[in-house]
Amino acid sequence: MPVTEFKVPEKYKYQNGFGSYRETEAVEGALPIGANNPQKPPYGLYNEKLSGTAFTAPRCENQQTWLQRILPASAHAPFQARESKTFDTNPGIHGKERWHQIPNQLRWDPFDLDETVDWVHSLHLVAGAGDPTMKSGLGIFIFAAGKDMDPHHAFYSADGDLLIVPQHGVLDIQTELGKLLVRPNEICVIPRGIRHRVTLPEGPVRGYMCELYQGHFQLPDLGPIGSNGLANARDFQAPIAAFCEDHDGSNEYTLLAKFSGHLFAAKQKHTPFDVVAWHGNYYPYKYDLGRFNTIGSISYDHPDPSIFTVLTAQSDHPGTAIADFVIFPPRWLVAEDTFRPPWYHRNTMSEFMGLIHGQYDAKTGGGFQPAGASLHNVMSAHGPDASTHEKASNADLKPMKVGEGSMAFMFESSLMVGVTEWGLNKCAKVQEGYNAESWEPLKPHFQRPTPAKLVNGAGGAVPGEIGDRSQVPHWTS
């Protein structure tokens, strides 16, 4: 069956479908009928609108949700800056951190677990581009946590949508709109502004996160593939309404906000998780990568990796993404007379790869490991390592399944990606011998045919002398 066999069983119920308009009640009758903000909402609740796009965005792009909650989200004290010397995820003009813009291919050893911090403080910006204050670009993070968030804490990012890719451990995410259990080989998206709390029911966690500063993720167009394939809309899962009651003022809660890459905190005397019912199309969701319907060649050649796109966030130029989320799942290879691994490549896009588990079939040399990562920036050449090339060039081209027990992924962006000081130096995980292991061992196999027929003077000129006049159209004497 095309589903992942998870070690940790599901414990929540969901609504299925991507981008659908939904309504859900934890108490029957909590949603007003017909109206969005009646003068007297049911059960003494407050009406609140959560807008993920401009009011006047085209209807096909408009994202909003109406909340029926016990107290409005605005009922808190003013925010105060917090941990300003240590929490800075917006390098550039807004803080002390700076980007390292370098063309080198980079690869990281597995990032360490850290059992001393919670979800909020586990976030390490590794790479990115743009500026969340301009709603432009993306940030790529590693997270590693070992502690539950405080029961009286909640967190949200005003900077962008969070696409979370667990690699180790389980995330139990309580959001304003309901609960999600997210396990390795699942992903989840928490849209900009949605408050949440993360606990760790199976102990320490580690993984990757892409924060999208502009727009929202959507399913890629299928074109000639047709109406089904890749990530099917029905396989995405959204939470059902669930709420807490703690409004007597006896407990103090802390609301943490990531705003322009910096951390702020505000106090309030009631739980943030008091949404009794909601309706709309702006909500968190999750997806099991095991359900991905993989497409590939059944004749010859290796198609572009865009056929493995799960989610995309387009720029203002259709077909060119600010962020694509691409996976390399278990799949059959049957192409005839074809070098089957991904080809050698230079790309106008930046490619950040991670490995959830197993071994990536284009990197069999052992250096690309689960919980590690690689970055091939704009026009930085890359491709299979030398050992993979040798194996694939001499393999028996019978039908074969690759990637069994493996799941690699890629955050791909049209932007030139910078690397943070933490990502380049402080984490101490960059592999110094990446090129030496992967591509420097490649050997030339070119053999000049005998007799050789040379065209356009190719190979026929002696260094320092003029070539064949008959092959130079602009020759003048």
Side-chain angles (χ1 to χ4, degrees), residues 54-363:
F55 296 146
T56 52
R59 179 169 289 208
C60 63
E61 299 175 6
N62 209 297
Q63 295 190 30
Q64 60 168 347
T65 290
W66 280 95
L67 314 176
Q68 303 296 318
R69 62 190 313 156
I70 297 173
L71 279 174
S74 55
H76 59 73
F79 280 99
Q80 303 291 332
R82 176 165 164 165
E83 302 167 35
S84 56
K85 293 183 179 180
T86 56
F87 196 103
D88 183 357
T89 64
N90 188 13
I93 63 173
H94 303 289
K96 61 183 177 62
E97 296 292 334
R98 293 292 180 268
W99 293 117
H100 294 274
Q101 302 285 0
I102 52 177
N104 290 338
Q105 303 96 327
L106 296 173
R107 189 163 69 188
W108 288 267
D109 285 329
F111 293 95
D112 293 332
L113 292 167
D114 185 350
E115 299 189 22
T116 67
V117 297
D118 64 7
W119 167 251
V120 177
H121 299 91
S122 76
L123 302 175
H124 292 285
L125 183 67
V126 175
D131 182 351
T133 68
M134 300 300 293
K135 293 187 176 179
S136 171
L138 78 166
I140 298 171
F141 293 77
I142 295 295
F143 67 84
K147 296 168 59 177
D148 293 345
M149 286 180 61
D150 188 287
H152 297 102
H153 282 191
F155 172 72
Y156 74 92
S157 175
D159 295 339
D161 290 6
L162 308 179
L163 192 166
I164 300 167
V165 186
Q167 183 274 326
H168 175 86
V170 176
L171 302 173
D172 193 336
I173 306 176
Q174 179 184 21
T175 80
E176 295 177 273
L177 278 67
K179 298 179 179 181
L180 300 166
L181 189 73
V182 189
R183 301 155 290 186
N185 227 50
E186 288 183 307
I187 61 167
C188 78
V189 173
I190 302 178
R192 182 195 308 265
I194 291 183
R195 299 170 180 183
H196 59 278
R197 174 177 175 261
V198 178
T199 57
L200 317 177
E202 298 295 317
V205 297
R206 176 175 56 196
Y208 313 83
M209 185 177 81
C210 177
E211 184 168 25
L212 178 66
Y213 301 149
Q214 66 185 92
H216 301 288
F217 288 103
Q218 61 193 53
L219 295 177
D221 290 332
L222 294 179
I225 292 175
S227 55
N228 298 102
L230 309 186
N232 289 309
R234 65 172 294 202
D235 293 322
F236 288 80
Q237 298 179 299
I240 60 174
F243 70 99
C244 299
E245 291 185 83
D246 187 359
H247 298 79
D248 62 6
S250 60
N251 290 314
E252 183 176 73
Y253 287 81
T254 300
L255 178 61
L256 299 167
K258 190 168 86 68
F259 194 93
S260 184
H262 301 281
L263 194 63
F264 294 81
K267 301 295 185 180
Q268 61 184 55
K269 291 291 188 178
H270 59 95
T271 175
F273 304 110
D274 63 356
V275 176
V276 179
W278 58 268
H279 69 90
N281 62 353
Y282 190 64
Y283 46 75
Y285 55 87
K286 74 169 188 170
Y287 174 73
D288 173 6
L289 300 179
R291 300 190 181 203
F292 188 78
N293 181 211
T294 311
I295 304 295
S297 173
I298 54 174
S299 57
Y300 64 91
D301 276 357
H302 189 298
D304 292 341
S306 49
I307 59 171
F308 301 136
T309 301
V310 179
L311 294 169
T312 184
Q314 295 291 292
S315 68
D316 56 4
H317 189 75
T320 303
I322 296 300
D324 281 332
F325 177 65
V326 179
I327 64 172
F328 301 91
R331 60 202 181 277
W332 282 94
L333 301 181
V334 299
E336 298 178 320
D337 193 22
T338 295
F339 182 76
R340 289 178 173 176
W343 12 256
Y344 293 99
H345 191 205
R346 287 179 295 164
N347 193 355
T348 188
M349 310 282 277
S350 299
E351 303 178 11
F352 181 94
M353 288 194 64
L355 186 59
I356 299 171
H357 47 247
Q359 182 182 67
Y360 178 43
D361 54 287
K363 291 288 191 296

